[in-house]
């Protein structure tokens, strides 16, 4: 969950912000030394903003967002003060030594005390600074190798017949969930937070996930399955699932999925979605069995997938298919579809049984300035830009964001979500020509209960033949993407 602060440019704010930052870093899992370094970096940044961003105003305001995952922390500072170019203010040791001129020293400290520092000029939306620091969790790959080296290969376990019940999870189940994950996967499960009972308990208390646990008649935990609710829309991702090896092939997974779908409907969620990996078809088949429909293929989506049974490393980041299950009958929608992708989008809506009329409005009105949210996944080397409003500066703002990401982050892929309920989308889509975006798919209900066209810009060489898609329509989307990609390369 993000922590957001709106702060005035009063020098008295510096000390309490730094105190809060240090405490927050420690609570997120940084050591005392690393927390101090990150706090110094934050202090340098906000001091520069407070002292120099608004020279002609007695009082200005800026925003801070504190964001945490298990593997890293991030601070995002946004302000609308005077424009400036950080490349024009680089630190020169000789100038500092001989002329006592320390210009640019603050940015040098920030880069030294963080793992990643990104500056983005967002035009009329001002400027954005992102400071990121990795949290030193024991390397999962190392633990896997240790477990393989120390443990003899276990014989295949025979399923034990048993009676069981499925219950909705509570915070009291946190330790059993962590034990289930460990006993089933050792330390190879991709979501490291599931090895920390306190973190599981925290998410359950915060209502961030809905889930079920399967227990035997004696109370033993046999399986766990959860959906993770999106912060910006009333949908949830089918994200975590495990059944103890000794009790597989007894309908436990199917029973939990059916129960979860029922729970999701009771909580009035609009839809469930899953990201099924394309390295093998198993998870895709499970989704298709329960009525999920493939709406897109996200190329190079994750670096952090480990699969038992594969003798060789997968040679590229793993792609995923987007599978969606609407949970209630859908009302008719009037949408503004870019002509280039209108046909495949209409095919996708038909597959989802969502009635749609494609509209065109050449008399649309732009916002005063563009608004777009940037989400960076540092662990997977991906970024997502979600367009909220189009302004006259849309093309320049987007190009500046792309250039900043490519120059400073070197991502594998950049995704772009365009709102299909905005009448300006078809014409603004045409301004993307030459930027290297290709089709990804339909993202229904993904932000603020609204539908988005997801595009993707591939930033590294890769082999599309290694992307295995199970469903017929998923293969149709892959073929469509392949044609577009070949044209761009």
């Amino acid at each position: 969950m993000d922590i957001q602060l709106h702060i005035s440019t009063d020098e008295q704010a510096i000390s309490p912000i730094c105190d809060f930052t240090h405490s927050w870093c420690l609570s997120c899992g940084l050591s005392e030394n690393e927390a101090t370094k990150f706090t110094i970096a934050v202090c340098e940044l906000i001091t520069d903003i407070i002292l120099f961003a608004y020279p002609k105003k007695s009082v200005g305001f800026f925003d801070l967002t504190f964001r945490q995952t298990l593997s890293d922390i991030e601070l995002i500072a946004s302000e609308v003060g005077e424009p400036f170019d950080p490349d024009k203010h680089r630190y020169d040791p000789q100038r500092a030594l001989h002329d006592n001129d320390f210009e640019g020293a603050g940015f040098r400290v920030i880069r030294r005390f963080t793992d990643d520092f990104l500056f983005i000029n967002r035009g009329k939306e001002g400027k954005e600074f992102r400071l990121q620091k990795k949290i030193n969790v024991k390397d999962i790959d190392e633990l896997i190798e240790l477990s393989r080296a120390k443990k003899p290969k276990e014989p295949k376990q025979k399923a034990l017949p048993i009676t069981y019940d499925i219950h909705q999870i509570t915070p009291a189940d946190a330790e059993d969930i962590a034990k289930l994950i460990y006993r089933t996967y050792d330390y190879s499960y991709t979501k490291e937070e599931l090895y920390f009972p306190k973190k599981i308990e925290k998410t359950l208390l915060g209502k961030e996930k809905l889930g079920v646990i399967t227990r035997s008649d004696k109370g033993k935990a046999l399986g766990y399955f959860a959906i993770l609710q999106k912060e910006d829309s009333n949908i949830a991702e089918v994200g975590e699932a495990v059944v103890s090896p000794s009790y597989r092939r007894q309908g436990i997974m199917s029973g939990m999925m059916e129960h979860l779908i029922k729970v999701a409907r009771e909580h009035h969620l609009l839809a469930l979605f899953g990201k099924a990996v394309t390295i093998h078809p198993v998870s895709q088949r499970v989704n298709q069995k329960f009525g999920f429909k493939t709406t897109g293929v996200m190329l190079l989506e994750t670096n952090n997938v480990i699969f038992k049974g594969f003798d060789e490393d997968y040679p590229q980041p793993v792609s995923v298919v987007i599978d969606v299950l609407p949970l209630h009958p859908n009302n008719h929608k009037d949408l503004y579809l870019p002509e280039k992708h209108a046909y495949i989008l209409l095919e996708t809506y038909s597959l989802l049984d969502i009635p749609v009329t494609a509209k065109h409005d050449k008399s649309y009105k732009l916002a005063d300035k563009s608004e777009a949210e940037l989400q960076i996944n540092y662990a997977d080397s991906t970024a997502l830009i979600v367009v909220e409003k189009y302004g006259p500066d849309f093309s320049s703002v987007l190009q500046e964001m792309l250039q900043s990401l490519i120059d400073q982050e070197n991502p594998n892929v950049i995704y772009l979500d365009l709102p299909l309920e905005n009448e300006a989308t078809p014409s603004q889509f045409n301004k993307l020509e030459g930027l290297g975006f290709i089709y990804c798919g339909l993202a229904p209900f993904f932000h603020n209960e609204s539908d988005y066209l997801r595009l993707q810009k591939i930033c590294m060489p890769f082999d599309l033949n290694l992307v295995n898609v199970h469903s017929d329509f998923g293969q149709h989307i892959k073929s469509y993407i392949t044609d577009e990609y070949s044209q761009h390369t």
Side-chain angles (χ1 to χ4, degrees), residues 116 299-304 317 375-384 409-415 457 459-460:
D116 213 322
L299 301 173
L300 311 179
E301 196 264 351
T302 180
N303 291 322
N304 296 324
Q375 302 170 15
I376 300 176
N377 187 320
Y378 295 97
D380 287 326
S381 296
T382 66
L384 169 65
E409 295 298 318
N410 192 28
N412 298 331
V413 59
I414 301 170
Y415 304 108
K457 178 180 175 65
C459 304
M460 62 172 287

Side-chain angles (χ1 to χ4, degrees), residues 148-165:
R148 286 174 179 167
K150 293 179 180 179
K151 292 184 179 181
K153 190 173 181 179
E154 296 180 5
K156 191 172 182 179
Q157 292 176 286
K158 193 173 181 179
L160 304 175
I162 197 168
T163 57
Y164 57 83
D165 292 308

Side-chain angles (χ1 to χ4, degrees), residues 288-305:
Q288 298 293 317
K289 174 182 175 182
F290 287 94
F292 286 76
K293 307 297 183 184
T294 297
T295 68
V297 180
M298 297 177 64
L299 301 173
L300 311 179
E301 196 264 351
T302 180
N303 291 322
N304 296 324
V305 177

Side-chain angles (χ1 to χ4, degrees), residues 188-348:
S188 67
Y189 199 74
T190 57
K191 295 194 173 185
E192 298 103 313
E193 63 266 28
L194 292 180
Y195 294 100
F196 296 83
K198 287 294 185 186
K199 290 185 179 291
I200 299 171
E201 187 176 335
K202 183 178 178 181
T203 59
L204 294 175
L205 288 169
K207 311 297 183 184
E208 296 170 29
K209 69 174 74 177
L210 297 170
V212 294
I213 189 166
T214 300
R215 293 189 180 276
S216 69
D217 51 3
K218 295 183 179 179
K220 182 179 180 180
L222 310 179
Y224 158 73
F225 206 154
I227 54 177
L228 314 176
Q229 293 185 264
K230 276 181 112 283
E231 289 187 3
D232 63 346
S233 198
N234 188 32
I235 62 175
E237 179 181 1
V238 178
E240 299 165 358
V242 61
V243 174
S244 183
S246 300
Y247 301 97
R248 292 175 181 169
R249 301 187 182 278
Q250 299 190 61
I252 292 177
M253 184 65 75
S254 295
M256 290 193 297
M257 176 68 96
E258 291 172 358
H259 199 106
L260 268 181
I261 293 173
K262 179 183 177 183
V263 169
R265 286 196 171 103
E266 290 173 350
H267 281 76
H268 306 292
L269 295 179
L270 292 177
L272 295 178
F273 74 97
K275 293 179 180 178
V277 295
T278 60
I279 195 171
H280 63 67
V282 175
S283 55
Q284 297 179 53
R285 286 175 181 161
V286 171
N287 288 346
Q288 298 293 317
K289 174 182 175 182
F290 287 94
F292 286 76
K293 307 297 183 184
T294 297
T295 68
V297 180
M298 297 177 64
L299 301 173
L300 311 179
E301 196 264 351
T302 180
N303 291 322
N304 296 324
V305 177
I306 300 166
F307 292 96
K308 290 186 173 181
F310 284 81
D311 295 329
E312 299 179 0
D313 292 336
Y314 192 67
Q316 62 191 32
V318 176
S319 303
V320 301
V321 299
I322 303 173
D323 288 331
V324 176
L325 176 67
L327 296 175
H328 303 282
N330 291 283
N331 297 325
H332 182 275
K333 294 186 176 186
D334 291 332
L335 299 174
Y336 300 88
L337 311 179
E339 183 178 356
K340 183 176 182 179
H341 300 310
Y343 187 74
I344 193 168
L345 287 170
L346 289 171
E347 285 185 301
T348 309

Side-chain angles (χ1 to χ4, degrees), residues 90-109:
R90 293 191 176 276
Y91 175 69
D92 184 340
Q94 294 301 317
R95 193 173 62 216
L97 181 63
H98 299 295
D99 302 332
N100 205 32
D101 183 350
F102 291 89
E103 183 179 21
F107 276 5
R108 186 181 179 93
V109 169

Side-chain angles (χ1 to χ4, degrees), residues 13-269:
I14 295 174
S15 180
I17 293 171
C18 293
D19 289 343
F20 172 79
T21 301
H22 187 262
S23 298
W24 177 73
C25 288
L26 293 174
S27 70
C28 291
L30 287 187
S31 67
E32 175 68 37
N33 185 44
E34 293 303 313
T36 299
K37 288 181 179 180
F38 192 81
T39 301
I40 291 172
V42 172
C43 184
E44 286 288 343
L45 177 62
I46 63 172
T47 300
D48 281 350
I49 292 174
I50 289 173
L51 296 182
F52 305 118
Y54 301 88
K56 293 186 178 181
K57 291 185 178 180
S58 57
V59 178
F61 292 89
F62 64 100
D63 295 310
L64 295 179
T65 300
F66 294 81
R67 183 168 292 167
Q68 172 199 5
T69 70
L70 180 72
S71 58
D72 60 58
I73 61 171
E74 182 180 29
L75 177 126
I76 305 169
S78 306
E79 47 96 338
V80 288
E82 278 194 341
F84 93 112
D85 182 355
D87 290 336
K88 302 294 185 183
H89 302 274
R90 293 191 176 276
Y91 175 69
D92 184 340
Q94 294 301 317
R95 193 173 62 216
L97 181 63
H98 299 295
D99 302 332
N100 205 32
D101 183 350
F102 291 89
E103 183 179 21
F107 276 5
R108 186 181 179 93
V109 169
I110 293 171
R111 288 190 171 92
R112 182 68 61 86
F113 285 175
T114 61
D115 292 324
D116 213 322
F117 176 49
L118 175 65
F119 166 78
I120 299 175
N121 186 336
R122 304 188 69 162
K124 291 183 179 180
E125 289 188 57
K127 302 181 290 296
E128 186 173 283
F129 306 85
R130 289 175 175 246
L131 284 61
Q132 183 258 355
K133 189 75 177 174
K134 293 182 177 65
I135 299 174
N136 291 324
V137 179
K138 180 71 173 177
D139 186 78
I140 298 298
D141 290 333
E142 181 183 334
L143 290 171
I144 294 170
E145 293 305 317
L146 286 172
S147 67
R148 286 174 179 167
K150 293 179 180 179
K151 292 184 179 181
K153 190 173 181 179
E154 296 180 5
K156 191 172 182 179
Q157 292 176 286
K158 193 173 181 179
L160 304 175
I162 197 168
T163 57
Y164 57 83
D165 292 308
I166 300 173
H167 310 277
Q168 191 164 339
I169 54 173
T170 69
D173 296 314
E175 183 179 19
D176 280 341
I177 291 170
K179 288 180 177 179
L180 257 178
I181 296 294
Y182 173 77
R183 290 168 182 170
T184 304
Y185 293 99
D186 290 333
Y187 281 108
S188 67
Y189 199 74
T190 57
K191 295 194 173 185
E192 298 103 313
E193 63 266 28
L194 292 180
Y195 294 100
F196 296 83
K198 287 294 185 186
K199 290 185 179 291
I200 299 171
E201 187 176 335
K202 183 178 178 181
T203 59
L204 294 175
L205 288 169
K207 311 297 183 184
E208 296 170 29
K209 69 174 74 177
L210 297 170
V212 294
I213 189 166
T214 300
R215 293 189 180 276
S216 69
D217 51 3
K218 295 183 179 179
K220 182 179 180 180
L222 310 179
Y224 158 73
F225 206 154
I227 54 177
L228 314 176
Q229 293 185 264
K230 276 181 112 283
E231 289 187 3
D232 63 346
S233 198
N234 188 32
I235 62 175
E237 179 181 1
V238 178
E240 299 165 358
V242 61
V243 174
S244 183
S246 300
Y247 301 97
R248 292 175 181 169
R249 301 187 182 278
Q250 299 190 61
I252 292 177
M253 184 65 75
S254 295
M256 290 193 297
M257 176 68 96
E258 291 172 358
H259 199 106
L260 268 181
I261 293 173
K262 179 183 177 183
V263 169
R265 286 196 171 103
E266 290 173 350
H267 281 76
H268 306 292
L269 295 179

